[in-house]
Amino acid sequence: MSSTPTTFDVRADFPILSQTVHGTPLVYLDSGATSQKPQVVLDAEVDFLTRANSAVHRGAHTLAGEATELFEDARATVSGFLGARPEQLVWTSGATFALNLVAYAIGNATAGRGPSRFALAPGDEIVVTETEHHANLIPWQELAARTGAVLRSIPVRDDGTLDTDAAASLIGERTRVVAFTHVSNVLGIVNPVAELVALARTAGALTVLDACQSAPHLPFDFDALGVDLAAFSGHKMLGPYGVGGLLGRSDVLDDLPPFLTGGSMVTTVTLDEAHFLAAPQKFEAGTQPVSQAIGLAAAARYLEGLGMDAVHDRERTLERRMMAGLREIEGVRILGDASGVERVGIASFDVEGVHAHDVGQFLDDRGVAVRVGHHCAKPLHARFGLTASVRASTSVFTTDDEIDVFLDALAGVRPFFGVGA
Ligand code: PLP
């Protein structure tokens, strides 16, 4: 095994990174919100739109055939990249859509429009975690409100790890759904998927994984993870906006009723009723995100070219450098500072005595782009006694020097605002 740390010479692949902000080179540390896109992704979309643009699955002409082939090739590429088969990938506009799709499909089953295996009865339980992004929380709150199910949540410990003892007592015979994030978009900590899947399986509950912050950063193998469903987001994994997906075990996708209905998802339609295509098409009503899916396939090929083990390795190096540096700066409190846990390159922190927005502004003035606010995880911030934090997040194009620029700038925040010694 090589002891040389992985580095990637990929800066030139990302044209946006060569710019300056306020006269200083841009240091982009906001990939947790949205990643930058390499030229091959931009080219793939433009090439499709200039050469083959056409509606898929509904035309007899040459361009329609070519577009359909490219679109389905993209499904094969992206599903393969994520450890699934093509028919296990439903294209959506993003993870928020994918998670809502599942919640609404279960709601439809509860209303008698699908098999009883998914139907919820009053008092049934949906279990989430305290670390969820709102996209994997509010759809379940809404489903509980519509069905009479009860929403329960696995707490997080002070160090940011999930309280697995609490999980073991929360997941029980009334649990029908366990929906949890693979990696917290605030803490960057990898959650214990195998443990939660085992608990859910024993309870006979459906598992829904939010893979937004894992799929871009570590080898992601849907099949091996053993979850029933997983949502991911294209724009966070070097791909275009407006595309993401839902991966599902075939028996689950086959049985789950559709959420949206309309064109492109039917076999026969009369004025009285409709019959639906098999999965994944039955979940893809309307015009598909064609150029976006093709762009995302280019992103998947790009990441595959780097090698996801190497990507993970690289991000761990960046994450360790960032965490070590943050721990050194007086007045900086890291949210979820557990040591010895698996992480990706995401760190959120509070700077004592300075509002997160002021920190963000100060860093931006020095060319450093970070996210400030609650990062769509208000309950997790409340858990740490905060309404807002600062988040720095890395990607394959982040350099060690950029981490140092960020840390140097951050060290100047409290002195600048006259806080502390
Ligand atoms: N889940 C997590 C953990 C996220 O970080 C995000 C995006 O911030 C989402 C869900 C929503 O993803 P999308 O933008 O694809 O709807």
Side-chain angles (χ1 to χ4, degrees):
M1 219 173 83
S2 157
S3 59
T4 316
T6 309
T7 49
F8 298 125
D9 188 12
V10 296
R11 300 289 290 185
D13 297 342
F14 294 81
I16 200 168
L17 298 176
S18 58
Q19 67 186 285
T20 55
V21 173
H22 305 299
T24 343
L26 169 67
V27 174
Y28 187 79
L29 291 177
D30 199 16
S31 290
T34 198
S35 65
Q36 299 302 349
K37 293 97 181 59
Q39 188 67 49
V40 285
V41 169
L42 311 179
D43 288 348
E45 270 202 276
V46 170
D47 179 60
F48 170 75
L49 292 169
T50 46
R51 201 175 50 77
N53 180 46
S54 192
V56 301
H57 288 303
R58 44 166 86 82
H61 58 81
T62 303
L63 282 192
E66 193 176 341
T68 302
E69 203 174 309
L70 289 167
F71 179 61
E72 291 306 327
D73 281 353
R75 194 192 301 274
T77 300
V78 175
S79 59
F81 175 70
L82 297 171
R85 294 190 306 279
E87 68 275 14
Q88 293 180 301
L89 167 54
V90 177
W91 293 119
T92 65
S93 63
T96 304
F97 190 107
L99 293 162
N100 273 278
L101 185 166
V102 179
Y104 275 91
I106 293 174
N108 287 345
T110 307
R113 302 290 298 167
S116 58
R117 75 182 266 213
F118 298 120
L120 298 177
D124 279 348
E125 293 175 359
I126 301 166
V127 174
V128 294
T129 81
E130 212 174 7
T131 65
E132 298 314 314
H133 185 284
H134 298 164
N136 198 30
L137 172 64
I138 304 172
W140 305 114
Q141 291 175 344
E142 292 288 305
L143 179 63
R146 287 196 303 277
T147 59
V150 177
L151 187 69
R152 311 192 71 185
S153 118
I154 303 168
V156 77
R157 300 187 189 104
D158 288 345
D159 68 358
T161 56
L162 267 194
D163 186 339
T164 41
D165 294 336
S169 56
L170 273 170
I171 299 172
E173 60 181 28
R174 290 306 305 259
T175 310
R176 303 300 314 282
V177 178
V178 182
F180 60 100
T181 193
H182 195 173
V183 172
S184 158
N185 69 311
V186 175
L187 311 174
I189 296 176
V190 181
N191 279 330
V193 178
E195 213 169 322
L196 295 175
V197 166
L199 290 168
R201 275 218 185 119
T202 307
L206 195 73
T207 44
V208 184
L209 187 73
D210 179 347
C212 277
Q213 301 291 350
S214 55
H217 304 294
L218 44 86
F220 185 89
D221 188 337
F222 173 73
D223 194 37
L225 284 168
V227 291
D228 292 309
L229 298 152
F232 66 94
S233 174
H235 71 96
K236 293 181 196 291
M237 46 188 285
L238 313 186
Y241 291 110
V243 68
L246 177 71
L247 301 170
R249 263 182 37 197
S250 295
D251 64 303
V252 173
L253 288 184
D254 286 349
D255 285 356
L256 208 61
F259 159 42
L260 288 187
T261 51
S264 300
M265 50 83 73
V266 287
T267 50
T268 58
V269 186
T270 68
L271 282 178
D272 297 318
E273 61 170 7
H275 293 272
F276 307 133
L277 284 163
Q281 277 78 20
K282 78 172 163 187
F283 299 108
E284 295 180 354
T287 301
Q288 299 86 345
V290 183
S291 60
Q292 296 93 325
I294 289 165
L296 182 53
R301 281 193 296 271
Y302 182 86
L303 284 168
E304 219 154 40
L306 297 177
M308 287 311 287
D309 283 321
V311 167
H312 187 36
D313 190 37
R314 173 70 191 135
E315 293 216 15
R316 288 235 59 186
T317 308
L318 291 166
E319 169 265 305
R320 287 192 189 117
R321 192 178 189 95
M322 184 158 74
M323 293 292 281
L326 288 172
R327 287 184 186 118
E328 294 282 300
I329 302 174
E330 211 185 308
V332 166
R333 174 168 66 112
I334 299 168
L335 276 67
D337 194 9
S339 54
V341 292
E342 205 190 336
R343 291 175 178 274
V344 303
I346 295 176
S348 298
F349 54 89
D350 177 52
V351 179
E352 198 190 331
V354 187
H355 194 279
H357 286 86
D358 290 331
V359 178
Q361 183 71 59
F362 179 90
L363 293 176
D364 182 59
D365 286 345
R366 285 145 188 84
V368 182
V370 292
R371 170 98 186 253
V372 295
H374 52 68
H375 324 313
C376 299
K378 272 178 172 268
L380 185 59
H381 277 78
R383 161 68 180 82
F384 285 105
L386 297 171
T387 53
S389 67
V390 182
R391 180 182 71 187
S393 49
T394 66
S395 184
V396 294
F397 47 75
T398 308
T399 65
D400 292 357
D401 285 351
E402 286 186 312
I403 299 293
D404 294 346
V405 168
F406 154 64
L407 292 168
D408 282 351
L410 186 64
V413 167
R414 293 177 89 229
F416 178 86
F417 285 98
V419 178

